[in-house]
Amino acid sequence: MGKKILVTGGAGYIGSHTAVELQNAGYEVVIVDNLSNSNEAVIDGITRITGIRPAFEHLDCNDREGMHKVFEKYPGIEGVIHFAASKAVGESVQKPLLYYRNNLVSLMNILELMQEFGVKGIVFSSSCTVYGQPDVLPVDESAPIKPALSPYGNTKQICEEIVRDTIHSGAAYRAILLRYFNPIGAHPTAEIGELPLGVPQNLIPYLTQTAIGIRKELSVFGNDYNTPDGSCIRDYINVVDLAKAHVVAMNRMLNALSDEAVEVFNLGTGRGVSVLELINSFERATGVAVPHKIVGRRKGDIEQVWANPDRANNVLGWTAEESLDDTLASAWRWQEKLRERGIM
Ligand code: NAD
Ligand code: WQD
């Protein structure tokens, strides 16, 4: 058997794609997920793609005793990838304590248990949200952390600090903080993808649900920004590319390839794409029209942000490879698959 990796939140969107890539790379995967934003059927999807069923524990990472039992049940866990978190920005403004408890306590439990069980490294899911609106674009890892615009964003900043402080206090493991830009798309097999509950808040699920007729029209939030076409700019990164970066990061920690105990990497393409460009790209890639209208700005939106991915490219040895058109086509295949299966 390969080295054992605990993947918290592994039934979720990015976690499930990462479980696939870990198994493809020969790792043994143990998933812990409380299914608060996912479905156990995702484990079947991972199994169909890889031919290997990952171990699955239906458990909340905030349950410290339960997590202790997981480390006992699966002896020899060498690495942790910690995806488990609540991630809806708007909800975090309404329910800040839920976000602080879920996102901070689960990380603290994991870090304590890693020490107790001699785990070698943790990959933590951070976000470009820590940069706010950067002063310099493309933004690199040395850019200042701006005051968070939401409790969710604040949890990512605090979690980064918790990891750093723990390592600096002498904890005997390594950490890699990965700052994702905007992950989109689905596995090329359409066996796994993003499963938003209720009305999607994010652009791509809203767009694909509009294209398939579940939603009437996509609202483009603002065309009066200081950008070439007036709509906001983001760095949209293919979810499989993103998943592969976690495997590279895990290899790096387990093989002690770095002198630094904590490292941080931007995971993006280095290319900024506007909302209107993205709609065009989707229509070109799929041949399907997206009814849309321009509406006012969404409160709290960043005008433009895209990554300088040089550190990830040169130091980590990872580069985003998929084209935007292929990525959008994968998101569309996934939406069609959900329809075929009668899920939505
Ligand atoms: P997701 O909601 O699809 O996946 C998170 C998974 O964690 C879900 O399956 C959920 O059920 C589970 N979970 C939540 N709290 C848990 C807990 N206490 N115990 C056990 N399981 C728990 O989200 P995602 O998009 O896959 O995001 C994964 C991580 O990446 C999160 O930490 C998120 O904040 C971060 N991130 C996501 C994005 C994005 O745009 N998707 C961008 C930057 C960072
Ligand atoms: C993308 C663009 C919208 C919906 C959020 C979180 C961030 C990160 C990723 C985790 C923006 C526009 C959207 C719609 C639109 N998550 N839009 N119509 O805002 O970049 O980031 O998810 O860390 O923390 O804030 O992503 O997909 O919501 O929006 O015009 O119906 O699409 O204005 O420019 P965002 P998004």
Side-chain angles (χ1 to χ4, degrees):
M1 279 310 244
K3 293 178 177 171
K4 220 175 276 172
I5 308 297
L6 173 64
V7 181
T8 73
Y13 174 44
I14 306 170
S16 57
H17 289 82
T18 301
V20 165
E21 296 307 321
L22 285 167
Q23 294 196 156
N24 284 344
Y27 284 106
E28 187 182 335
V29 172
V30 178
I31 290 175
V32 167
D33 200 302
N34 66 359
L35 304 180
S36 56
N37 197 35
S38 52
N39 190 303
E40 197 170 343
V42 171
I43 308 298
D44 300 331
I46 296 169
T47 309
R48 280 195 295 273
I49 296 170
T50 61
I52 302 165
R53 191 164 192 87
F56 173 63
E57 298 291 334
H58 183 184
L59 184 70
D60 196 311
C61 295
N62 289 300
D63 175 353
R64 199 178 179 292
E65 258 178 53
M67 289 303 294
H68 195 276
K69 288 194 183 121
V70 169
F71 279 92
E72 284 176 337
K73 181 172 172 186
Y74 302 95
I77 289 173
E78 294 200 30
V80 175
I81 307 186
H82 184 51
F83 292 105
S86 304
K87 65 160 185 178
V89 176
E91 186 187 45
S92 79
V93 177
Q94 305 302 322
K95 301 175 185 168
L97 291 179
L98 188 150
Y99 274 67
Y100 286 115
R101 180 181 299 280
N102 199 41
N103 295 4
L104 305 190
V105 175
S106 60
L107 174 68
M108 293 190 284
N109 283 345
I110 298 283
L111 292 175
E112 281 175 353
L113 290 166
M114 283 177 64
Q115 183 86 328
E116 185 177 339
F117 286 88
V119 178
K120 292 182 182 153
I122 178 167
V123 177
F124 175 72
S125 299
S126 190
S127 169
C128 68
T129 191
V130 302
Y131 298 122
Q133 176 60 63
D135 302 320
V136 178
L137 286 168
V139 62
D140 70 25
E141 294 83 351
S142 66
I145 301 300
K146 296 275 179 77
L149 293 173
S150 69
Y152 165 75
N154 206 20
T155 68
K156 290 298 169 193
Q157 299 192 3
I158 298 170
C159 284
E160 284 201 3
E161 288 179 9
I162 290 174
V163 173
R164 283 183 206 283
D165 288 348
T166 309
I167 301 261
H168 291 150
S169 76
Y173 44 79
R174 292 164 180 270
I176 292 187
L177 312 172
L178 297 178
R179 292 179 181 158
Y180 314 152
F181 282 67
N182 289 55
I184 62 164
H187 196 269
T189 59
E191 290 288 356
I192 52 173
E194 191 171 7
L195 258 183
L197 297 177
V199 180
Q201 304 301 308
N202 294 115
L203 178 59
I204 296 303
Y206 205 104
L207 184 156
T208 57
Q209 289 190 12
T210 305
I212 210 159
I214 297 171
R215 316 267 158 219
K216 191 167 143 267
E217 213 168 24
L218 170 70
S219 296
V220 175
F221 297 140
N223 68 347
D224 56 353
Y225 285 100
N226 185 24
T227 60
D229 66 21
S231 64
C232 290
I233 293 178
R234 298 286 184 273
D235 186 335
Y236 296 95
I237 164 88
N238 179 286
V239 69
V240 176
D241 277 339
L242 188 76
K244 288 178 178 165
H246 294 74
V247 177
V248 180
M250 188 51 76
N251 291 341
R252 183 172 174 83
M253 287 191 299
L254 298 190
N255 296 313
L257 297 181
S258 156
D259 295 335
E260 307 287 327
V262 192
E263 294 182 295
V264 52
F265 296 101
N266 280 345
L267 295 183
T269 66
R271 181 174 165 224
V273 173
S274 76
V275 178
L276 293 170
E277 282 175 325
L278 190 116
I279 295 170
N280 279 336
S281 188
F282 179 88
E283 292 181 334
R284 182 175 59 235
T286 63
V288 180
V290 182
H292 60 277
K293 63 173 178 201
I294 310 287
V295 301
R297 294 180 177 197
R298 180 171 71 176
K299 194 166 164 274
D301 255 340
I302 301 294
E303 178 175 271
Q304 44 187 327
V305 60
W306 66 96
N308 177 337
D310 287 352
R311 252 178 76 75
N313 299 165
N314 302 328
V315 179
L316 196 57
W318 165 90
T319 303
E321 282 171 355
E322 283 299 318
S323 71
L324 182 61
D325 280 18
D326 286 350
T327 301
L328 291 169
S330 75
W332 177 238
R333 272 198 305 280
W334 169 243
Q335 186 67 62
E336 289 184 304
K337 190 66 160 275
L338 290 175
R339 166 66 50 88
E340 270 166 47
R341 290 195 190 147
I343 295 171
M344 60 175 72

